[in-house]
Amino acid sequence: MKKMIRLGLAALWLASAWAQAQPSGNQAPDVGAGQKRAAVCFACHNADGISKIPGTPHLAGQERSYLENALRAYRDGQTRQNPTMNPMAKPLSDRDIVNIAAYYSSLARSGQGQK
Ligand code: HEC
Protein backbone atom coordinates (compact mmCIF):
# COMPACT_ATOMS: atom_id res chain seq x y z
CA MET A 1 0.00 0.00 0.00
CA LYS A 2 2.81 2.40 0.94
CA LYS A 3 4.52 1.47 -2.27
CA MET A 4 1.37 2.36 -4.25
CA ILE A 5 1.22 5.80 -2.64
CA ARG A 6 4.88 6.40 -3.35
CA LEU A 7 4.37 5.34 -6.94
CA GLY A 8 1.36 7.63 -7.23
CA LEU A 9 3.35 10.56 -5.87
CA ALA A 10 6.20 9.84 -8.26
CA ALA A 11 3.76 9.81 -11.17
CA LEU A 12 2.29 13.13 -10.05
CA TRP A 13 5.73 14.65 -9.74
CA LEU A 14 6.69 13.40 -13.18
CA ALA A 15 3.47 14.74 -14.69
CA SER A 16 4.02 18.20 -13.25
CA ALA A 17 7.68 18.23 -14.27
CA TRP A 18 6.61 17.27 -17.79
CA ALA A 19 3.94 19.96 -17.88
CA GLN A 20 6.47 22.60 -16.83
CA ALA A 21 8.88 21.47 -19.52
CA GLN A 22 6.33 22.11 -22.24
CA PRO A 23 7.00 25.23 -24.30
CA SER A 24 3.58 26.74 -23.74
CA GLY A 25 3.76 26.43 -19.94
CA ASN A 26 0.40 26.12 -18.26
CA GLN A 27 -1.59 27.66 -21.09
CA ALA A 28 -3.93 24.95 -22.31
CA PRO A 29 -4.17 25.21 -26.08
CA ASP A 30 -7.56 25.78 -27.70
CA VAL A 31 -7.67 23.68 -30.87
CA GLY A 32 -11.00 25.19 -32.02
CA ALA A 33 -9.69 28.73 -31.70
CA GLY A 34 -6.54 27.63 -33.50
CA GLN A 35 -8.60 26.31 -36.40
CA LYS A 36 -10.45 29.63 -36.68
CA ARG A 37 -7.27 31.69 -36.47
CA ALA A 38 -5.59 29.45 -39.05
CA ALA A 39 -8.21 30.23 -41.73
CA VAL A 40 -5.73 32.65 -43.33
CA CYS A 41 -3.22 29.81 -43.60
CA PHE A 42 -5.53 27.40 -45.42
CA ALA A 43 -4.89 28.98 -48.83
CA CYS A 44 -1.42 27.46 -48.77
CA HIS A 45 -1.29 24.83 -46.02
CA ASN A 46 -4.90 23.64 -46.42
CA ALA A 47 -7.41 23.03 -43.64
CA ASP A 48 -6.21 19.44 -43.33
CA GLY A 49 -2.56 20.51 -43.10
CA ILE A 50 -1.58 18.67 -46.28
CA SER A 51 -0.43 21.28 -48.76
CA LYS A 52 -1.09 20.92 -52.46
CA ILE A 53 1.33 23.67 -53.44
CA PRO A 54 4.90 22.72 -54.37
CA GLY A 55 7.38 24.26 -51.92
CA THR A 56 4.81 24.57 -49.15
CA PRO A 57 5.35 22.12 -46.26
CA HIS A 58 2.69 19.87 -44.75
CA LEU A 59 1.83 20.81 -41.17
CA ALA A 60 -0.58 17.99 -40.24
CA GLY A 61 0.57 15.89 -37.32
CA GLN A 62 3.78 17.87 -36.84
CA GLU A 63 5.08 18.21 -33.27
CA ARG A 64 3.30 21.02 -31.45
CA SER A 65 6.49 22.43 -29.91
CA TYR A 66 8.19 22.41 -33.31
CA LEU A 67 5.31 24.36 -34.91
CA GLU A 68 5.31 26.88 -32.05
CA ASN A 69 9.04 27.42 -32.38
CA ALA A 70 8.81 27.74 -36.16
CA LEU A 71 6.04 30.36 -35.92
CA ARG A 72 7.89 32.37 -33.26
CA ALA A 73 11.02 32.26 -35.39
CA TYR A 74 9.13 33.52 -38.46
CA ARG A 75 7.45 36.21 -36.37
CA ASP A 76 10.74 37.43 -34.92
CA GLY A 77 12.34 37.22 -38.35
CA GLN A 78 15.82 36.65 -36.89
CA THR A 79 16.55 32.97 -37.38
CA ARG A 80 13.90 32.12 -39.98
CA GLN A 81 13.57 34.46 -42.87
CA ASN A 82 11.04 33.82 -45.58
CA PRO A 83 9.23 36.47 -47.65
CA THR A 84 5.92 34.59 -47.35
CA MET A 85 5.95 33.34 -43.77
CA ASN A 86 7.48 36.39 -42.01
CA PRO A 87 4.48 38.62 -42.84
CA MET A 88 2.05 35.74 -42.17
CA ALA A 89 3.43 35.21 -38.66
CA LYS A 90 3.85 38.90 -37.75
CA PRO A 91 0.28 39.54 -36.53
CA LEU A 92 0.06 36.30 -34.49
CA SER A 93 -0.09 36.63 -30.70
CA ASP A 94 1.61 34.09 -28.41
CA ARG A 95 -1.82 32.66 -27.77
CA ASP A 96 -2.57 32.38 -31.51
CA ILE A 97 0.69 30.50 -32.00
CA VAL A 98 -0.08 28.02 -29.21
CA ASN A 99 -3.58 27.42 -30.57
CA ILE A 100 -2.64 27.15 -34.24
CA ALA A 101 0.22 24.77 -33.43
CA ALA A 102 -2.18 22.60 -31.41
CA TYR A 103 -4.65 22.61 -34.29
CA TYR A 104 -2.22 21.50 -36.99
CA SER A 105 -0.54 19.05 -34.62
CA SER A 106 -3.91 17.39 -33.91
CA LEU A 107 -4.49 16.55 -37.59
CA ALA A 108 -3.70 13.14 -39.08
CA ARG A 109 -0.72 12.78 -41.36
CA SER A 110 -2.38 11.04 -44.22
CA GLY A 111 -0.85 7.85 -45.44
CA GLN A 112 1.71 7.48 -42.67
CA GLY A 113 -0.35 5.52 -40.21
CA GLN A 114 0.40 7.94 -37.40
CA LYS A 115 -2.06 9.79 -35.15
C1 HEC B 1 0.98 32.26 -49.37
C2 HEC B 1 1.21 30.90 -48.87
C3 HEC B 1 1.31 30.69 -47.36
C4 HEC B 1 0.44 31.12 -46.39
C5 HEC B 1 -0.84 31.94 -46.55
C6 HEC B 1 0.94 30.60 -45.13
N1 HEC B 1 2.08 29.88 -45.35
FE1 HEC B 1 3.17 28.86 -43.94
N2 HEC B 1 4.55 28.40 -45.32
C7 HEC B 1 4.48 28.73 -46.66
C8 HEC B 1 5.74 28.36 -47.31
C9 HEC B 1 6.09 28.55 -48.78
C10 HEC B 1 6.56 27.81 -46.29
C11 HEC B 1 8.02 27.34 -46.40
C12 HEC B 1 8.86 28.55 -46.05
C13 HEC B 1 10.33 28.28 -45.86
O1 HEC B 1 10.94 27.67 -46.73
O2 HEC B 1 10.85 28.68 -44.79
C14 HEC B 1 5.77 27.84 -45.07
C15 HEC B 1 6.22 27.34 -43.85
C16 HEC B 1 5.46 27.28 -42.72
C17 HEC B 1 5.85 26.62 -41.49
C18 HEC B 1 7.15 25.87 -41.24
C19 HEC B 1 6.94 24.40 -41.43
C20 HEC B 1 8.15 23.58 -41.15
O3 HEC B 1 8.08 22.35 -41.35
O4 HEC B 1 9.18 24.10 -40.69
C21 HEC B 1 4.84 26.79 -40.61
C22 HEC B 1 4.77 26.28 -39.17
C23 HEC B 1 3.81 27.56 -41.28
N3 HEC B 1 4.22 27.82 -42.56
C24 HEC B 1 2.62 27.95 -40.68
C25 HEC B 1 1.73 28.84 -41.28
C26 HEC B 1 0.63 29.45 -40.60
C27 HEC B 1 0.27 29.16 -39.13
C28 HEC B 1 0.01 30.28 -41.46
C29 HEC B 1 -1.15 31.19 -41.21
C30 HEC B 1 -1.00 32.16 -40.16
C31 HEC B 1 0.71 30.16 -42.73
N4 HEC B 1 1.77 29.30 -42.57
C32 HEC B 1 0.36 30.81 -43.91
C33 HEC B 1 3.41 29.30 -47.32
C34 HEC B 1 2.34 29.90 -46.69
PDB file of all heavy atoms in Angstrom, residues 89-112:
ATOM      1  N   ALA A  89       3.288  35.455 -40.093  1.00  0.00           N
ATOM      2  CA  ALA A  89       3.434  35.213 -38.657  1.00  0.00           C
ATOM      3  C   ALA A  89       3.432  36.504 -37.833  1.00  0.00           C
ATOM      4  O   ALA A  89       3.144  36.468 -36.638  1.00  0.00           O
ATOM      5  CB  ALA A  89       4.732  34.428 -38.394  1.00  0.00           C
ATOM      6  N   LYS A  90       3.737  37.618 -38.475  1.00  0.00           N
ATOM      7  CA  LYS A  90       3.847  38.904 -37.752  1.00  0.00           C
ATOM      8  C   LYS A  90       2.651  39.224 -36.852  1.00  0.00           C
ATOM      9  O   LYS A  90       2.840  39.567 -35.681  1.00  0.00           O
ATOM     10  CB  LYS A  90       4.017  40.037 -38.766  1.00  0.00           C
ATOM     11  CG  LYS A  90       5.302  40.672 -38.846  1.00  0.00           C
ATOM     12  CD  LYS A  90       5.861  41.805 -38.240  1.00  0.00           C
ATOM     13  CE  LYS A  90       7.093  41.927 -37.460  1.00  0.00           C
ATOM     14  NZ  LYS A  90       8.250  41.168 -37.664  1.00  0.00           N
ATOM     15  N   PRO A  91       1.412  39.124 -37.374  1.00  0.00           N
ATOM     16  CA  PRO A  91       0.279  39.535 -36.533  1.00  0.00           C
ATOM     17  C   PRO A  91      -0.139  38.506 -35.479  1.00  0.00           C
ATOM     18  O   PRO A  91      -1.054  38.784 -34.702  1.00  0.00           O
ATOM     19  CB  PRO A  91      -0.854  39.742 -37.549  1.00  0.00           C
ATOM     20  CG  PRO A  91      -0.490  38.898 -38.721  1.00  0.00           C
ATOM     21  CD  PRO A  91       0.999  38.794 -38.740  1.00  0.00           C
ATOM     22  N   LEU A  92       0.512  37.336 -35.425  1.00  0.00           N
ATOM     23  CA  LEU A  92       0.058  36.295 -34.492  1.00  0.00           C
ATOM     24  C   LEU A  92       0.503  36.615 -33.061  1.00  0.00           C
ATOM     25  O   LEU A  92       1.654  36.964 -32.830  1.00  0.00           O
ATOM     26  CB  LEU A  92       0.621  34.927 -34.905  1.00  0.00           C
ATOM     27  CG  LEU A  92       0.243  34.406 -36.301  1.00  0.00           C
ATOM     28  CD1 LEU A  92       0.918  33.064 -36.559  1.00  0.00           C
ATOM     29  CD2 LEU A  92      -1.266  34.295 -36.440  1.00  0.00           C
ATOM     30  N   SER A  93      -0.433  36.472 -32.122  1.00  0.00           N
ATOM     31  CA  SER A  93      -0.086  36.625 -30.702  1.00  0.00           C
ATOM     32  C   SER A  93       0.504  35.306 -30.202  1.00  0.00           C
ATOM     33  O   SER A  93       0.412  34.280 -30.881  1.00  0.00           O
ATOM     34  CB  SER A  93      -1.336  36.972 -29.892  1.00  0.00           C
ATOM     35  OG  SER A  93      -2.215  35.849 -29.879  1.00  0.00           O
ATOM     36  N   ASP A  94       1.092  35.331 -28.999  1.00  0.00           N
ATOM     37  CA  ASP A  94       1.614  34.090 -28.410  1.00  0.00           C
ATOM     38  C   ASP A  94       0.506  33.051 -28.307  1.00  0.00           C
ATOM     39  O   ASP A  94       0.713  31.868 -28.543  1.00  0.00           O
ATOM     40  CB  ASP A  94       2.181  34.359 -27.017  1.00  0.00           C
ATOM     41  CG  ASP A  94       3.490  35.124 -27.090  1.00  0.00           C
ATOM     42  OD1 ASP A  94       4.130  35.106 -28.166  1.00  0.00           O
ATOM     43  OD2 ASP A  94       3.875  35.747 -26.085  1.00  0.00           O
ATOM     44  N   ARG A  95      -0.655  33.539 -27.924  1.00  0.00           N
ATOM     45  CA  ARG A  95      -1.818  32.662 -27.767  1.00  0.00           C
ATOM     46  C   ARG A  95      -2.223  32.047 -29.122  1.00  0.00           C
ATOM     47  O   ARG A  95      -2.512  30.861 -29.212  1.00  0.00           O
ATOM     48  CB  ARG A  95      -2.969  33.518 -27.195  1.00  0.00           C
ATOM     49  CG  ARG A  95      -4.111  32.746 -26.675  1.00  0.00           C
ATOM     50  CD  ARG A  95      -3.813  32.193 -25.280  1.00  0.00           C
ATOM     51  NE  ARG A  95      -4.788  31.169 -24.984  1.00  0.00           N
ATOM     52  CZ  ARG A  95      -4.504  29.901 -24.714  1.00  0.00           C
ATOM     53  NH1 ARG A  95      -3.262  29.503 -24.619  1.00  0.00           N
ATOM     54  NH2 ARG A  95      -5.446  29.032 -24.478  1.00  0.00           N
ATOM     55  N   ASP A  96      -2.258  32.881 -30.170  1.00  0.00           N
ATOM     56  CA  ASP A  96      -2.570  32.377 -31.514  1.00  0.00           C
ATOM     57  C   ASP A  96      -1.602  31.255 -31.890  1.00  0.00           C
ATOM     58  O   ASP A  96      -2.008  30.222 -32.425  1.00  0.00           O
ATOM     59  CB  ASP A  96      -2.418  33.487 -32.572  1.00  0.00           C
ATOM     60  CG  ASP A  96      -3.480  34.576 -32.455  1.00  0.00           C
ATOM     61  OD1 ASP A  96      -4.563  34.304 -31.913  1.00  0.00           O
ATOM     62  OD2 ASP A  96      -3.219  35.703 -32.914  1.00  0.00           O
ATOM     63  N   ILE A  97      -0.337  31.478 -31.618  1.00  0.00           N
ATOM     64  CA  ILE A  97       0.687  30.502 -32.003  1.00  0.00           C
ATOM     65  C   ILE A  97       0.461  29.175 -31.287  1.00  0.00           C
ATOM     66  O   ILE A  97       0.497  28.110 -31.899  1.00  0.00           O
ATOM     67  CB  ILE A  97       2.098  31.080 -31.738  1.00  0.00           C
ATOM     68  CG1 ILE A  97       2.410  32.132 -32.802  1.00  0.00           C
ATOM     69  CG2 ILE A  97       3.158  29.982 -31.722  1.00  0.00           C
ATOM     70  CD1 ILE A  97       3.759  32.825 -32.660  1.00  0.00           C
ATOM     71  N   VAL A  98       0.185  29.239 -29.984  1.00  0.00           N
ATOM     72  CA  VAL A  98      -0.078  28.024 -29.209  1.00  0.00           C
ATOM     73  C   VAL A  98      -1.298  27.282 -29.779  1.00  0.00           C
ATOM     74  O   VAL A  98      -1.272  26.065 -29.965  1.00  0.00           O
ATOM     75  CB  VAL A  98      -0.296  28.387 -27.717  1.00  0.00           C
ATOM     76  CG1 VAL A  98      -0.898  27.222 -26.947  1.00  0.00           C
ATOM     77  CG2 VAL A  98       1.014  28.837 -27.088  1.00  0.00           C
ATOM     78  N   ASN A  99      -2.347  28.042 -30.086  1.00  0.00           N
ATOM     79  CA  ASN A  99      -3.583  27.422 -30.573  1.00  0.00           C
ATOM     80  C   ASN A  99      -3.435  26.852 -31.987  1.00  0.00           C
ATOM     81  O   ASN A  99      -3.889  25.738 -32.260  1.00  0.00           O
ATOM     82  CB  ASN A  99      -4.732  28.441 -30.553  1.00  0.00           C
ATOM     83  CG  ASN A  99      -5.114  28.834 -29.146  1.00  0.00           C
ATOM     84  OD1 ASN A  99      -4.785  28.133 -28.187  1.00  0.00           O
ATOM     85  ND2 ASN A  99      -5.803  29.949 -29.001  1.00  0.00           N
ATOM     86  N   ILE A 100      -2.815  27.617 -32.858  1.00  0.00           N
ATOM     87  CA  ILE A 100      -2.641  27.149 -34.243  1.00  0.00           C
ATOM     88  C   ILE A 100      -1.744  25.915 -34.273  1.00  0.00           C
ATOM     89  O   ILE A 100      -2.021  24.941 -34.985  1.00  0.00           O
ATOM     90  CB  ILE A 100      -2.052  28.274 -35.140  1.00  0.00           C
ATOM     91  CG1 ILE A 100      -3.066  29.405 -35.318  1.00  0.00           C
ATOM     92  CG2 ILE A 100      -1.636  27.716 -36.497  1.00  0.00           C
ATOM     93  CD1 ILE A 100      -2.519  30.620 -36.065  1.00  0.00           C
ATOM     94  N   ALA A 101      -0.681  25.932 -33.477  1.00  0.00           N
ATOM     95  CA  ALA A 101       0.223  24.772 -33.429  1.00  0.00           C
ATOM     96  C   ALA A 101      -0.534  23.539 -32.933  1.00  0.00           C
ATOM     97  O   ALA A 101      -0.371  22.439 -33.471  1.00  0.00           O
ATOM     98  CB  ALA A 101       1.412  25.073 -32.522  1.00  0.00           C
ATOM     99  N   ALA A 102      -1.401  23.727 -31.940  1.00  0.00           N
ATOM    100  CA  ALA A 102      -2.183  22.599 -31.410  1.00  0.00           C
ATOM    101  C   ALA A 102      -3.142  22.079 -32.468  1.00  0.00           C
ATOM    102  O   ALA A 102      -3.353  20.874 -32.602  1.00  0.00           O
ATOM    103  CB  ALA A 102      -2.949  23.029 -30.161  1.00  0.00           C
ATOM    104  N   TYR A 103      -3.711  23.012 -33.236  1.00  0.00           N
ATOM    105  CA  TYR A 103      -4.655  22.606 -34.289  1.00  0.00           C
ATOM    106  C   TYR A 103      -3.952  21.742 -35.338  1.00  0.00           C
ATOM    107  O   TYR A 103      -4.361  20.614 -35.601  1.00  0.00           O
ATOM    108  CB  TYR A 103      -5.293  23.833 -34.937  1.00  0.00           C
ATOM    109  CG  TYR A 103      -6.027  23.514 -36.213  1.00  0.00           C
ATOM    110  CD1 TYR A 103      -7.160  22.699 -36.188  1.00  0.00           C
ATOM    111  CD2 TYR A 103      -5.575  23.986 -37.444  1.00  0.00           C
ATOM    112  CE1 TYR A 103      -7.821  22.363 -37.366  1.00  0.00           C
ATOM    113  CE2 TYR A 103      -6.232  23.656 -38.624  1.00  0.00           C
ATOM    114  CZ  TYR A 103      -7.345  22.842 -38.572  1.00  0.00           C
ATOM    115  OH  TYR A 103      -7.995  22.510 -39.738  1.00  0.00           O
ATOM    116  N   TYR A 104      -2.877  22.261 -35.928  1.00  0.00           N
ATOM    117  CA  TYR A 104      -2.219  21.497 -36.990  1.00  0.00           C
ATOM    118  C   TYR A 104      -1.609  20.201 -36.450  1.00  0.00           C
ATOM    119  O   TYR A 104      -1.599  19.180 -37.129  1.00  0.00           O
ATOM    120  CB  TYR A 104      -1.162  22.351 -37.701  1.00  0.00           C
ATOM    121  CG  TYR A 104      -1.757  23.171 -38.830  1.00  0.00           C
ATOM    122  CD1 TYR A 104      -1.690  24.559 -38.833  1.00  0.00           C
ATOM    123  CD2 TYR A 104      -2.385  22.544 -39.897  1.00  0.00           C
ATOM    124  CE1 TYR A 104      -2.235  25.306 -39.865  1.00  0.00           C
ATOM    125  CE2 TYR A 104      -2.942  23.277 -40.932  1.00  0.00           C
ATOM    126  CZ  TYR A 104      -2.865  24.653 -40.917  1.00  0.00           C
ATOM    127  OH  TYR A 104      -3.421  25.379 -41.946  1.00  0.00           O
ATOM    128  N   SER A 105      -1.133  20.244 -35.221  1.00  0.00           N
ATOM    129  CA  SER A 105      -0.544  19.049 -34.625  1.00  0.00           C
ATOM    130  C   SER A 105      -1.585  17.951 -34.398  1.00  0.00           C
ATOM    131  O   SER A 105      -1.270  16.761 -34.422  1.00  0.00           O
ATOM    132  CB  SER A 105       0.112  19.459 -33.299  1.00  0.00           C
ATOM    133  OG  SER A 105       0.530  18.337 -32.603  1.00  0.00           O
ATOM    134  N   SER A 106      -2.846  18.368 -34.208  1.00  0.00           N
ATOM    135  CA  SER A 106      -3.906  17.392 -33.912  1.00  0.00           C
ATOM    136  C   SER A 106      -4.376  16.655 -35.172  1.00  0.00           C
ATOM    137  O   SER A 106      -5.077  15.654 -35.078  1.00  0.00           O
ATOM    138  CB  SER A 106      -5.108  18.112 -33.283  1.00  0.00           C
ATOM    139  OG  SER A 106      -5.827  18.823 -34.272  1.00  0.00           O
ATOM    140  N   LEU A 107      -3.998  17.145 -36.347  1.00  0.00           N
ATOM    141  CA  LEU A 107      -4.493  16.551 -37.593  1.00  0.00           C
ATOM    142  C   LEU A 107      -3.688  15.313 -37.978  1.00  0.00           C
ATOM    143  O   LEU A 107      -2.497  15.220 -37.676  1.00  0.00           O
ATOM    144  CB  LEU A 107      -4.405  17.582 -38.724  1.00  0.00           C
ATOM    145  CG  LEU A 107      -5.183  18.876 -38.504  1.00  0.00           C
ATOM    146  CD1 LEU A 107      -4.891  19.865 -39.615  1.00  0.00           C
ATOM    147  CD2 LEU A 107      -6.674  18.608 -38.400  1.00  0.00           C
ATOM    148  N   ALA A 108      -4.365  14.382 -38.666  1.00  0.00           N
ATOM    149  CA  ALA A 108      -3.697  13.142 -39.077  1.00  0.00           C
ATOM    150  C   ALA A 108      -2.756  13.406 -40.248  1.00  0.00           C
ATOM    151  O   ALA A 108      -3.069  14.178 -41.140  1.00  0.00           O
ATOM    152  CB  ALA A 108      -4.742  12.118 -39.482  1.00  0.00           C
ATOM    153  N   ARG A 109      -1.615  12.767 -40.188  1.00  0.00           N
ATOM    154  CA  ARG A 109      -0.725  12.783 -41.355  1.00  0.00           C
ATOM    155  C   ARG A 109      -1.219  11.694 -42.266  1.00  0.00           C
ATOM    156  O   ARG A 109      -1.092  10.523 -41.940  1.00  0.00           O
ATOM    157  CB  ARG A 109       0.687  12.376 -40.966  1.00  0.00           C
ATOM    158  CG  ARG A 109       1.343  13.258 -40.013  1.00  0.00           C
ATOM    159  CD  ARG A 109       2.730  12.702 -39.797  1.00  0.00           C
ATOM    160  NE  ARG A 109       3.336  13.404 -38.696  1.00  0.00           N
ATOM    161  CZ  ARG A 109       4.631  13.562 -38.572  1.00  0.00           C
ATOM    162  NH1 ARG A 109       5.439  13.025 -39.442  1.00  0.00           N
ATOM    163  NH2 ARG A 109       5.108  14.216 -37.542  1.00  0.00           N
ATOM    164  N   SER A 110      -1.756  12.077 -43.400  1.00  0.00           N
ATOM    165  CA  SER A 110      -2.383  11.045 -44.221  1.00  0.00           C
ATOM    166  C   SER A 110      -1.333  10.101 -44.781  1.00  0.00           C
ATOM    167  O   SER A 110      -0.238  10.508 -45.141  1.00  0.00           O
ATOM    168  CB  SER A 110      -3.191  11.673 -45.346  1.00  0.00           C
ATOM    169  OG  SER A 110      -2.332  12.211 -46.311  1.00  0.00           O
ATOM    170  N   GLY A 111      -1.689   8.831 -44.801  1.00  0.00           N
ATOM    171  CA  GLY A 111      -0.850   7.851 -45.437  1.00  0.00           C
ATOM    172  C   GLY A 111       0.342   7.374 -44.636  1.00  0.00           C
ATOM    173  O   GLY A 111       1.077   6.525 -45.066  1.00  0.00           O
ATOM    174  N   GLN A 112       0.547   7.900 -43.433  1.00  0.00           N
ATOM    175  CA  GLN A 112       1.709   7.482 -42.666  1.00  0.00           C
ATOM    176  C   GLN A 112       1.357   6.616 -41.471  1.00  0.00           C
ATOM    177  O   GLN A 112       2.239   6.209 -40.713  1.00  0.00           O
ATOM    178  CB  GLN A 112       2.522   8.694 -42.205  1.00  0.00           C
ATOM    179  CG  GLN A 112       3.139   9.420 -43.367  1.00  0.00           C
ATOM    180  CD  GLN A 112       4.167  10.431 -42.927  1.00  0.00           C
ATOM    181  OE1 GLN A 112       4.645  10.399 -41.815  1.00  0.00           O
ATOM    182  NE2 GLN A 112       4.491  11.357 -43.792  1.00  0.00           N
TER     183      GLN A 112
END
